[in-house]
Amino acid sequence: MTFGGTISIGVLIVAALVLATHGINQVDDYHQMPLMLIPVFGFWGFILFVASLAIACFGAALEVALQQAYLVAQGFGWTWGEDRKPRDNPGFSAVYTISLLLAAIPIMLGVDPLRLTIFSMALTAASLPLTVVPFLFLLNDERYVGEHRNGILSNAAVIFIIALGFVLAVVTIPLQIFGGT
């Protein structure tokens, strides 16, 4: 079991203990989740939960917008990079900015931010095969990497990652559409 799995189990146990004392046997909505923090932190528990939810949603929006900007910039052969100023890579910066502005529209229309965040992460998983497949070709092209081409084991690892991404894409999108949060 990983450290993250241990934390997840701990959160589930704490949630079960705290929410059961409030007569909540099933969590149907994220509005019930601050109740876990209120007994320990009081009113600040609610504030901490709201801040955590806002940070998670904003972080997901930034991640998706940044991924979109990288994909478009790489696809069109534009200059891009973390260490470059916006004036040095205007296409990348424009796509990033427009993606963030477009991401705000569903929230302004009243879409549940948590559902939108989860759905956007499912779309990110669906895009994994599209971003990894080019590496399979590049890492085997002798013109680019010379004698450092991938071997059988490395190619198997990349193919496994592509297959895993494909499975995630096939599973997560329908689950998000038909299964709710």
Side-chain angles (χ1 to χ4, degrees):
M1 179 177 294
T2 64
F3 183 69
T6 305
I7 291 174
S8 298
I9 291 171
V11 168
L12 289 175
I13 291 170
V14 169
L17 292 172
V18 171
L19 295 176
T21 61
H22 290 283
I24 299 172
N25 297 324
Q26 181 177 344
V27 177
D28 297 321
D29 193 7
Y30 69 92
H31 293 97
Q32 296 167 313
M33 294 175 69
L35 294 175
M36 290 187 301
L37 300 175
I38 291 173
V40 178
F41 297 108
F43 177 73
W44 285 103
F46 176 77
I47 300 297
L48 288 170
F49 175 77
V50 170
S52 299
L53 184 62
I55 290 167
C57 292
F58 185 64
L62 290 177
E63 178 186 346
V64 171
L66 189 59
Q67 180 190 18
Q68 191 66 33
Y70 279 133
L71 287 174
V72 171
Q74 290 170 0
F76 286 115
W78 298 341
T79 58
W80 57 275
E82 293 177 14
D83 58 340
R84 304 187 92 156
K85 295 184 188 237
R87 71 172 176 266
D88 296 334
N89 52 2
F92 174 84
S93 299
V95 170
Y96 186 55
T97 303
I98 291 169
S99 295
L100 286 174
L101 293 174
L102 289 175
I105 292 172
I107 299 300
M108 289 186 295
L109 295 175
V111 174
D112 181 9
L114 188 59
R115 282 182 182 256
L116 184 62
T117 299
I118 292 170
F119 188 73
S120 70
M121 299 317 296
L123 289 177
T124 301
S127 70
L128 285 175
L130 300 174
T131 57
V132 176
V133 166
F135 286 109
L136 183 62
F137 294 103
L138 287 174
L139 295 174
N140 285 294
D141 192 339
E142 198 168 346
R143 292 176 296 165
Y144 288 110
V145 292
E147 64 184 47
H148 302 289
R149 290 186 316 178
N150 270 359
I152 294 172
L153 186 61
S154 299
N155 282 331
V158 173
I159 290 170
F160 174 75
I161 291 169
I162 292 169
L164 184 62
F166 180 74
V167 169
L168 284 172
V170 168
V171 171
T172 57
I173 300 299
L175 282 175
Q176 285 303 306
I177 292 171
F178 301 114
T181 58

